[in-house]
Amino acid sequence: MKFIHKLHILVLLSFFELCGNGYCIDVRQISMPLVPDITRADIYYIQPQYQPIACLVMCPGVNGNGEYYLSHKDLQAFADHYQVALIGLSFASDESTLHDFKGYYCASLGSGKLLLDAIDQHVSNGVPLLLYGFSGGAHFVSTFQESYPQRVMAWCAYTAFWWEEPKANTFTPPGIVACGKLDLARYASSFEYFQQGRRLGKPWCWLSLSNTDHAENDELIRFMEAYFGSILDKKLDAGGWFDINTKQKLTGDTLQQSDNVAWLPDNRVGDLWSSLHKPKIVYEDSNIIDCKSLL
């Protein structure tokens, strides 16, 4: 391990290898100085053999360690193909603090700057970010893209229990809001967050996953890779708006603020979305309500 002490701030760098399938990758850990309400501020990343054009930041559930994402073969292949750095977030705060909407969930209170400092100082200075967050990680991703929109190329926030209401920004990166149909405690709030963003004209996509409770989902990861890949390929001129009820591609000037349409970067990604996106039955006070808009 190598210890760097500068201006009484301690940053810990450690290096190790993650081995499997007959080869090893160079994994590095960065421990950043703590700020109030944050008890751990680490990132793990695969040292790329190229100058990365962006960073893919994978954010696990509450107080989780995102190092395990680095062993995901699809994510490794995606990072290599598009020449992005693959990063696993490992931030933590006391859960009582998180319940007060403080701590690392709220990127504007310090965690967002910690992530950017770690990337700029140790991975690649000034590159844009692609972000994925599951559960607690979705809280962080949603607040990060609101607080630092100019650094975000695209994002995916999957199944959070509550969300901070989005705000109108001059720059609004495209994003995916997703939830499993069986994740009843989080479905309505996630859909409401999507609709709030759409009313502000944000280019967001809503994805409702069938037979999925509160758990990570490989199909979502593959869809996210296709969505991010299209943006990295700069195919945005082929993108468009899709009705979340009929899944049909739409045209017209009235779509910008509609809360029942999703933006997708190209037709191929639109086809993938259509195959995954399923209707939802909402259970409320033991009554079954068929919500046509909750797809």
Side-chain angles (χ1 to χ4, degrees):
M1 296 184 179
K2 178 180 180 182
F3 292 86
I4 301 176
H5 191 271
K6 182 180 293 186
L7 298 178
H8 304 289
I9 295 176
L10 182 65
V11 179
L12 171 65
L13 264 65
S14 63
F15 307 87
F16 54 96
E17 291 183 330
L18 180 66
C19 299
N21 295 336
Y23 67 95
C24 296
I25 56 177
D26 181 7
V27 174
R28 304 195 176 190
Q29 176 189 352
I30 306 296
S31 294
M32 297 300 290
L34 301 180
V35 298
D37 295 326
I38 296 180
T39 59
R40 185 178 71 241
D42 299 343
I43 68 167
Y44 294 83
Y45 70 100
I46 297 175
Q47 177 64 30
Q49 302 303 309
Y50 42 79
Q51 182 62 37
I53 63 169
C55 290
L56 173 57
V57 183
M58 304 294 294
C59 308
V62 55
N63 290 340
N65 185 340
E67 179 191 356
Y68 68 88
Y69 288 115
L70 304 187
S71 62
H72 195 293
K73 300 306 178 187
D74 283 352
L75 292 174
Q76 290 179 10
F78 176 88
D80 287 341
H81 178 76
Y82 287 102
Q83 296 199 327
V84 304
L86 180 58
I87 294 174
L89 190 80
S90 182
F91 282 11
S93 297
D94 291 335
E95 291 201 27
S96 61
T97 300
L98 296 174
H99 292 160
D100 291 335
F101 204 72
K102 298 177 182 177
Y104 85 94
Y105 276 5
C106 191
S108 64
L109 297 182
S111 59
K113 186 176 186 304
L114 286 177
L115 174 61
L116 288 175
D117 286 347
I119 289 172
D120 290 346
Q121 295 169 19
H122 302 288
V123 183
S124 187
N125 186 33
V127 295
L129 308 187
L130 303 157
L131 299 113
Y132 162 87
F134 165 69
S135 191
H139 289 293
F140 173 76
V141 167
S142 65
T143 64
F144 185 94
Q145 62 87 22
E146 290 280 347
S147 300
Y148 301 95
Q150 294 85 354
R151 286 296 298 270
V152 178
M153 182 177 288
W155 55 274
C156 175
Y158 171 43
T159 189
F161 187 71
W162 42 259
W163 308 75
E164 185 176 16
E165 186 171 349
K167 301 175 180 61
N169 290 323
T170 302
F171 183 76
T172 55
I176 303 164
V177 182
C179 194
K181 288 171 55 182
L182 304 182
D183 196 356
L184 300 180
R186 297 165 182 85
Y187 195 92
S189 63
S190 299
F191 183 68
E192 181 182 11
Y193 177 70
F194 162 77
Q195 290 197 308
Q196 289 172 340
R198 286 296 308 118
R199 292 179 195 124
L200 294 173
K202 294 178 183 282
W204 292 1
C205 167
W206 168 245
L207 178 59
S208 174
L209 296 164
S210 66
N211 302 317
T212 303
D213 203 336
H214 194 65
E216 301 242 38
N217 185 291
D218 283 341
E219 288 186 317
L220 173 61
I221 295 291
R222 288 191 289 271
F223 173 74
M224 177 199 74
E225 290 172 343
Y227 184 102
F228 289 174
S230 178
I231 291 171
L232 287 163
D233 285 334
K234 298 180 172 59
K235 294 180 179 178
L236 302 188
D237 57 337
W241 300 101
F242 291 75
D243 188 292
I244 64 172
N245 297 315
T246 66
K247 307 181 187 180
Q248 298 300 307
K249 191 171 183 178
L250 304 173
T251 59
D253 298 331
T254 63
L255 302 176
Q256 194 65 25
Q257 273 74 37
S258 172
D259 61 9
N260 283 307
V261 300
W263 184 87
L264 293 160
D266 65 44
N267 289 332
R268 172 179 165 272
V269 177
D271 289 341
L272 292 174
W273 170 79
S274 182
S275 69
L276 288 176
H277 181 58
K278 304 300 179 183
K280 167 67 180 172
I281 300 294
V282 175
Y283 294 83
E284 185 175 284
D285 297 328
S286 300
N287 295 317
I288 300 177
I289 305 171
D290 186 359
C291 296
K292 295 176 70 175
S293 64
L294 290 183
L295 292 181

